[in-house]
Each structure stands twice: as C-alpha cells, then as structure tokens.
Amino acid sequence: MRVALLPLLLLTVTTVHAGKLEKAFKALEVHDYFKARELFRKEVKKHPAAAWYGLSVISGRANNPFFNLDSAYQFVLKADLAFTAAPDKERVYIGVLGVSHTSITAQREHVFERAWEVARGQNTVLAYQAYLDRYPSGPRAEEARSVMHHLAFQEARQANTAAAYKAFVEKFPEAREVYEARTRLQGAVFEEATISKDLASYKAFILAHPENPNVRKAEDEIYRLSTPGRTIAEYKAFIKAEPDNHRVPDAWRSLYETYTKDLNVGAITRFIAEFPDYPFMEELVDDYRTASIELLPFRRDGKWGFIDTEGSERIKAEYDWVEPFVSGQAQVGLGDRVGTINRSGRVVVPIEYDEVGEFTEGTAVVERAGRFGAVDRSGELVVPMVYTDLGDLTEGLAYAQDHGRYGYVNARGEMRISPGYESATSFHAERAVVGRDGRYGVIDRSGQLVVPLEYEWIEGFEHGPSRVRKNGRTGIMSVNGEVLLEAKYDHVGAYHDGLALVVEAGRCGYADTLGRVIIALDYEAPADVATWGDFANGRAEVRSAGKHGIIGVNNERIVPFQYVDVGGTHGPLFAVKKKTKWGFVDGRGANVVEAKYDQVWDFVEGLARVQVGGLFGVVDSTGKEVIVPTLSALVDARAGHLVGSNGRSGVFDKSGKLVLPMMHQEVVLITDRIAKVTDGERFAYRDLSDGRYLWKEVGYTEGGSAE
C-alpha cells in the first residue's frame, strides 16, 4: 500500500507547489536562458540549492550570453552547501526537479572539464596558473600543474639566462624540473659572469660565487689561459699565483715533465735543486732510479721489449717492434698501430695511431687514417684529429691544414691564426713563411703580414736572417722584412759562423748578418762551390787562380792557395790534395802528413779516415796512422770508437786498438761502452771495455750458425 501511494504523493506535492522554480527549470529545458536566469535568481532565498544549481547550469553552458565558468563554479559550490544544509522535505522537492547531490557533483565536474578545455586550448603558463588558482580541487589540477611547470621551464630554457632560471625556481619550487633549472641557473651564472673569457672574469667569478659547481671549470680555464705555451715559466707563474687551484698538481707534473723531458739524471738533479718543494718527490725518486739505467731493445720469440746493461729484462717483450728511447719515451708498435711507453714500461701515448712524431715543445704530432692531431707528453690528445696536415710545435704554434688551407694552432689545439694560406712553415724568431698562388710572404705570431706575398721563395728565420728569391735572383732579408742583401745574386748560402756565401757571375765572397759584403767577391766560384764554400768552425775553403786554400772569418789565409783541392775545414789538420794524392797540413799551412793517400776525409772526434788502394785506415790529430790502411771498410768515429771490417766487422778504440775482434756480420755502436753485434738473423750486445756479452738473443752464435 505504501509503495502504491508514493507516486500519488509526489504528484500531489508537484501540483500543490507548482510555481516559479518549476517554470525556471522548464525554461532551462527549452533554452530560454533569460527567463530561467530571472526565475532562478528570484528563488535563491526560497530554494537556494535548486536556484544556485540552475544558475550554475546556465553559466556553464557556452550557448548563452551568461556563459562564465568562474560564475558557474561559484554557483555550484553554493548549491552544494545549500543542498547539504537543506531539510529532507526540500531535498525531496528539488530532487523531483533533478537537483540532487549526484547532479550537483556532475555539474561541478562539468565546470572543471570545461575549464580544463579552455586552459588546454590556450596552453600557456598563465592559463594553467589561472585554472589552478580558480579550481585547485579540480581533477585536472595535477596535470595542469605538471604541464604548467613544463611550459614555464621551456620558456626559461629558451631565454637561457640566469634571471629566467632564477625566476622559475622561485615561482615553482615544487616543480620536478627544479633540479635541472638550478643546475642550468648555476651554468648561466657562470657563462654570464665570464662572457669575456679572460683571466680576470674567471677569477672574479670564483670570488663572487665560491659555492657554484662551475668553480672547477673556471679554474680549468684559468690554468689553460695561464699556460698557453706550456712552458716552464708559465707553469711556475701559475703555481705561484693560483695555489688553491685544483689544477696545481697538474701544473707541477707538467712542469716536471717539461723540465726533465730527456729524463736523465742530470736534469732530475737540477730540477730537485730548483724546486725542492715539488709535491711528488716519491715519484721523482722512482724516475731518478729509472733514468740512471740504460735501456736496450731486445727480442724474444719474435716480440720486443727492453733490457738493462746487465741483460736483465726491464720491460716485457710484448711488442711487434720498438725504437730506442728518446726524451724519456720510446715508440712501440702492435700490429699496424703505434704509441709510446715511458722508461718504466707504462703506455703513455695510446697505441692507436698510424704514426707518432718526435716530441717538440712538449707535444708530438700523431696521425690516423690521414688525419693529424697532437698529444702532449702525458699522452693526452691536445690538438684534435681533424687536420689534413700538422706541423711540429715551435714557439708555441704549429701550422695546421684545414680544408686545403693553412692556419696555426697553439699547444691547446686552439686556432690562433685562421686558415687562409696554401702553404705554411714553422715559426722561428716569431716569424713564419706562408704562401698563396705561388708567392710567399712572412707573418708574425698575431697573423699579420710582415712581408707581402711577393717572393718566389723565402727560406725562413731558423738560423737568423732569411735567404729569399725574387725574379730568379737571391738575396737576404731580416726578420722584420728589411732587405739586407738585395736579391740580385746567383746564389747565397746559409749562415755559418755569422757569414753567408755570396756568388755572382763566377765570383764569390761572404756577407755578414747585416747584409754587408765583408769579404769581397774576389774568389773563383766553380759550379759546385755551393757544396763546399760555406764557413765551418771559423774557416772556409776558397779558390783563387785555380788553386784551393782556406781562409778565416777575417779573410786571413790559413792554408795557402796552392792545392788542387781541400778536403774540409773542421781541423785540427786539413786535408789537401797535391796533384793526385792527398795529405794533411796544420793551421799554419805547414805539411804534417805527406800527400800519399788516394782519398781522405775530414776529422771527426779527432780522427780522419784515409784510403790507399781501396783500403782504409785512420790518422790522428798529429798525423800518425793509428790504424794502418788495411781495412776493406771503415766508418767515421762515433762514441770514441770506429767500426771497421775485412769481410767481418770489429771495433777499434781511438788509439787504434782492436777492442772487439772482426768476427761479426755487422756492428752498430750504441754508446761509448756498448755495441750491438749481428750474426745471421740473431743479435747480441757486447761491452766495449772488456768484450763480454751483456745479452744474447736465443739462438745467437758467433759467425751466424744456428745453435
């Protein structure tokens, strides 16, 4: 009976209360928003939940002039509060009209969704911020906050300034991008504070921002700018000026490596005396021990390593080939790759290059697959492998070819003189020769032309003033481009003892470094004068009236002009040719050794080779034959000894004593105490003082027969 009576009761209530509220919902149903709005506003006091709900629906629809999502949200919040406070009778009544907790909640969600669509359509930081300010409890709040943070961070990144990152961090401290923004903020502070990229700016940055994580980067730049030439003086100055810089240990090690690049006992001893506060003394002591040991290449089972002079293995035989140590490092090879090791056997330059050059000014040129770069003495690649040609570092710069043009880079790999030339040479006396279109000129270290590109050839300034050629004629130029000797001669020789041979029209003389011809062109200049006419040891061979003699730097006669030929100017005796035989005269021109030899050579280490009838011997500075001409082959003295042979080779000392018998296929002098001897395909090392074997390769036998 109760169930049957409920519809009747609702109908009765509706009929009894039919009025403005029902009319309002009816108008809303037919989209008569003006009427519905007016009626709902009149019912706010009487039926607040339903009236506020109706007003929210009107404001939340975009098809009427009253559309306003903020108003719709405020109205639905009021409707929710009023519905919660309404008595049951009122809830039953407005429920018939469609107003309930469910409908109010649905209206609120509708407002949230429409507001989200508006914010997403604008897709700006301001739009999402407005959404969050107005609808903080909306279901899209977290998404709006995330998108807003992302857009704001992108705007900060686009500006990429410290101010932009700082504003983001301060405004959105809870954003997940804050960590990256703080990192970028620190980076932007660094970049803006050091925009001039000079020492002063980096130092000022460290002082102003000691907690910035880029302080180490600033210290790196201070180190780089303080040591552009990687010289001892620069390292010393850096260590003194920047004691707190984290690169000071690197500077100490680089200073030590530069100072002791030859890694010999004398250099290390001098270093200790000059730098007693060196912080890595234990390492230095190890180097001292290693430097005092002579290392010799040896072979075992087809692989190469190094032994000491007692034959003990010091560096394991694991390489396909090795070269002797030079300046503390030795080149080694594995397969078709090259690198270097130090005297302790540690790989310094990685074994990954096609070629590794000799070290000059602390760097060595390396090549791989036709590209060139440079490594420092620690093996670090300091000039990138991007060049098609690269010169040795001289005076802090090296020529580098990029896309067919030459410029200059420094020891850090930085391009200092832009590529603009077709050819280039190394710097000497702060000058380098460059060429373009077949013409040559001179630049200084700043890249400015000192001499225009108008010469056919410029020698360079490695030995002082440079020889030049113009219009097929030769002259001399100073380092500043001043013409010292006009380019009008057939030939000008290189400077020796401050004098240069000058040849013109079959006559020759000598000019000084100021370009003055101080020894007149009074001497004869045969076609081959350029091969023997230069000064050496303060003397020069000249010819007059068809006879040869020797003069000094003041044009004084040392050996009179009465010989068919002169054999050299090193002294102490001078080889001279009379008719068909050679002898020796002293510095006054007096005969010391009669002319009885078929051929003689200049003195080397106080000894001169002589030849009679195809056999070789040696005379000393007194003219005495310390080795009678009985040998079929003999080479100039080296390390106080001579290698001679009569089918088999042996070693003589400077007195002519045979210290190693002539029993070897080949002998090579390694030091004044050690010789490498070869027989067959095997070799050994022998001590020249007593002839004992220091080491023998497995299978080695005297005479070359296999054991």
Side-chain angles (χ1 to χ4, degrees):
M1 178 64 72
R2 292 178 181 174
V3 176
L5 289 175
L6 183 57
L8 178 62
L9 176 62
L10 292 176
L11 178 60
T12 302
V13 172
T14 303
T15 302
V16 173
H17 292 285
K20 293 180 181 178
L21 191 61
E22 290 82 354
K23 291 178 181 179
F25 277 105
K26 187 64 176 178
L28 181 61
E29 183 180 347
V30 296
H31 305 292
D32 188 351
Y33 296 113
F34 284 92
K35 183 178 180 180
R37 182 172 180 270
E38 182 181 357
L39 291 171
F40 281 132
R41 294 178 70 177
K42 291 179 179 179
E43 291 297 298
V44 166
K45 290 184 178 180
K46 191 174 183 180
H47 302 289
W52 289 125
Y53 172 78
L55 290 171
S56 179
V57 171
I58 292 171
S59 298
R61 291 181 179 177
N63 61 348
N64 71 82
F66 308 112
F67 174 67
N68 187 301
L69 290 175
D70 290 345
S71 296
Y73 185 56
Q74 295 303 317
F75 292 154
V76 77
L77 291 178
K78 291 180 179 181
D80 190 26
L81 290 172
F83 185 84
T84 301
D88 291 342
K89 183 179 178 180
E90 176 68 12
R91 291 185 182 183
V92 171
Y93 167 61
I94 62 178
V96 173
L97 298 175
V99 181
S100 65
H101 178 74
T102 301
S103 63
I104 291 172
T105 300
Q107 174 61 15
R108 185 168 61 244
E109 296 300 322
H110 168 74
V111 173
F112 286 150
E113 194 60 29
R114 290 303 304 273
W116 171 250
E117 291 174 359
V118 171
R120 189 170 57 181
Q122 295 176 1
N123 198 39
T124 65
V125 173
L126 291 177
Y128 290 116
Q129 185 65 66
Y131 175 87
L132 290 166
D133 291 343
R134 293 163 185 163
Y135 317 110
S137 61
R140 300 281 191 170
E142 285 306 314
E143 185 176 356
R145 189 171 289 106
S146 177
V147 175
M148 177 183 67
H149 291 164
H150 174 74
L151 290 176
F153 184 57
Q154 293 306 312
E155 289 178 359
R157 285 192 61 180
Q158 187 171 4
N160 199 34
T161 64
Y165 290 123
K166 183 179 180 182
F168 176 84
V169 170
E170 291 177 347
K171 189 172 183 180
F172 306 108
E174 77 283 4
R176 63 182 178 84
E177 294 89 351
V178 160
Y179 177 79
E180 184 178 353
R182 286 197 181 102
T183 301
R184 289 179 176 272
L185 168 60
Q186 301 285 22
V189 168
F190 171 69
E191 293 297 332
E192 291 169 16
T194 61
I195 193 169
S196 60
K197 307 298 181 187
D198 57 16
L199 274 172
S201 66
Y202 290 117
K203 291 181 179 181
F205 167 78
I206 293 173
L207 188 64
H209 307 280
E211 303 303 319
N212 191 296
N214 290 288
V215 163
R216 288 177 67 86
K217 186 175 181 181
E219 290 182 348
D220 287 341
E221 291 303 303
I222 291 172
Y223 179 51
R224 181 183 65 83
L225 291 171
S226 299
T227 58
R230 306 164 75 87
T231 65
I232 291 174
E234 289 171 349
Y235 290 129
K236 287 173 62 177
F238 171 79
I239 292 168
K240 181 178 180 180
E242 305 292 332
D244 297 325
N245 191 300
H246 77 281
R247 297 300 298 275
V248 165
D250 294 332
W252 269 118
R253 284 194 166 93
S254 294
L255 170 61
Y256 170 68
E257 290 175 357
T258 303
Y259 195 103
T260 62
K261 61 184 179 180
D262 292 332
L263 200 64
N264 59 60
V265 171
I268 295 175
T269 301
R270 290 190 298 274
F271 180 85
I272 294 173
E274 186 170 350
F275 303 102
D277 54 342
Y278 181 61
F280 308 108
M281 277 296 179
E282 290 185 5
E283 297 176 11
L284 183 147
V285 170
D286 288 340
D287 282 348
Y288 187 92
R289 295 192 187 102
T290 301
S292 63
I293 300 172
E294 180 76 30
L295 294 177
L296 306 170
F298 84 107
R299 182 173 56 192
R300 182 175 59 221
D301 298 330
K303 295 292 185 178
W304 290 82
F306 289 87
I307 57 174
D308 60 24
T309 54
E310 299 303 318
S312 298
E313 180 180 301
R314 290 286 182 171
I315 297 176
K316 185 179 179 181
E318 58 185 3
Y319 300 103
D320 292 330
W321 56 267
V322 299
E323 293 289 341
F325 276 89
V326 176
S327 300
Q329 294 187 33
Q331 291 195 17
V332 297
L334 285 174
D336 58 355
R337 292 290 180 245
V338 185
T340 71
I341 59 174
N342 65 13
R343 295 174 65 87
S344 67
R346 180 179 62 84
V347 172
V348 180
V349 177
I351 307 172
E352 60 184 38
Y353 299 102
D354 295 339
E355 294 289 342
V356 177
E358 299 292 341
F359 281 96
T360 61
E361 295 190 12
T363 65
V365 175
V366 292
E367 184 263 335
R368 182 171 57 222
R371 293 288 175 176
F372 294 83
V375 295
D376 63 15
R377 294 189 64 81
S378 67
E380 178 185 355
L381 189 68
V382 293
V383 179
M385 305 283 294
V386 297
Y387 300 106
T388 48
D389 189 16
L390 184 66
D392 290 330
L393 198 71
T394 60
E395 300 184 357
L397 294 172
Y399 60 78
Q401 186 184 48
D402 185 19
H403 294 88
R405 294 283 176 171
Y406 283 90
Y408 288 83
V409 297
N410 65 10
R412 301 285 184 184
E414 300 162 329
M415 185 64 71
R416 289 305 189 191
I417 299 175
S418 299
Y421 301 100
E422 293 173 359
S423 64
T425 65
S426 298
F427 270 91
H428 295 288
E430 298 189 351
R431 299 290 185 267
V433 179
V434 293
R436 188 167 54 226
D437 299 326
R439 294 290 170 177
Y440 299 88
V442 178
I443 60 173
D444 62 17
R445 287 176 52 82
S446 70
Q448 296 298 310
L449 273 173
V450 177
V451 177
L453 279 73
E454 58 185 27
Y455 287 90
E456 297 160 8
W457 171 71
I458 301 176
E459 179 182 27
F461 302 93
E462 184 174 2
H463 304 293
S466 172
R467 295 181 290 173
V468 298
R469 185 167 58 245
K470 192 173 185 179
N471 299 322
R473 311 298 289 169
T474 306
I476 298 174
M477 172 194 299
S478 75
V479 295
N480 295 318
E482 177 188 1
V483 175
L484 300 178
L485 188 67
E486 185 180 354
K488 64 179 184 179
Y489 297 94
D490 294 337
H491 171 78
V492 175
Y495 277 101
H496 297 280
D497 299 321
L499 296 174
L501 174 68
V502 178
V503 180
E504 174 62 20
R507 309 296 295 178
C508 67
Y510 295 88
D512 65 12
T513 54
L514 297 178
R516 301 173 301 186
V517 177
I518 63 170
I519 297 179
L521 277 67
D522 293 335
Y523 296 106
E524 298 170 1
D528 63 346
V529 67
T531 65
W532 49 261
D534 293 330
F535 265 86
N537 296 320
R539 311 176 189 98
E541 177 184 354
V542 293
R543 192 175 82 169
S544 179
K547 297 294 184 179
H548 290 251
I550 295 177
I551 61 172
V553 293
N554 295 315
N555 200 24
E556 71 275 20
R557 294 189 179 186
I558 295 175
V559 175
F561 306 132
Q562 60 186 37
Y563 301 103
V564 175
D565 201 356
V566 173
T569 59
H570 284 82
L573 302 181
F574 306 102
V576 294
K577 187 177 184 180
K578 294 181 179 180
K579 296 183 179 179
T580 62
K581 296 294 183 178
W582 289 83
F584 290 92
V585 298
D586 63 18
R588 297 171 298 175
N591 288 327
V592 176
V593 178
E594 63 177 301
K596 61 181 179 179
Y597 300 109
D598 296 329
Q599 182 65 54
V600 297
W601 285 263
D602 211 350
F603 276 82
V604 177
E605 294 190 10
L607 299 173
R609 292 182 296 144
V610 296
Q611 181 184 18
V612 176
L615 297 177
F616 296 86
V618 172
V619 299
D620 64 15
S621 59
T622 68
K624 175 186 175 183
E625 286 186 351
V626 294
I627 299 177
V628 178
T630 56
L631 302 173
S632 60
L634 184 65
V635 297
D636 283 330
R638 179 181 177 276
H641 295 82
L642 304 97
V643 176
S645 67
N646 269 328
R648 306 292 288 178
S649 296
V651 178
F652 297 84
D653 66 15
K654 296 179 72 171
S655 69
K657 177 184 176 182
L658 188 64
V659 295
L660 283 187
M662 290 188 288
M663 58 187 298
H664 301 289
Q665 179 180 332
E666 182 183 9
V667 177
V668 176
L669 296 172
I670 304 299
T671 68
D672 61 354
R673 191 176 74 85
I674 300 171
K676 175 185 176 183
V677 296
T678 301
D679 284 291
E681 297 180 354
R682 310 293 181 182
F683 72 96
Y685 291 109
R686 297 188 70 171
D687 191 322
L688 295 175
S689 65
D690 56 16
R692 66 187 175 91
Y693 283 93
L694 303 175
W695 172 86
K696 294 181 182 180
E697 184 176 6
V698 174
Y700 172 87
T701 58
E702 295 176 356
S705 59
E707 288 184 340

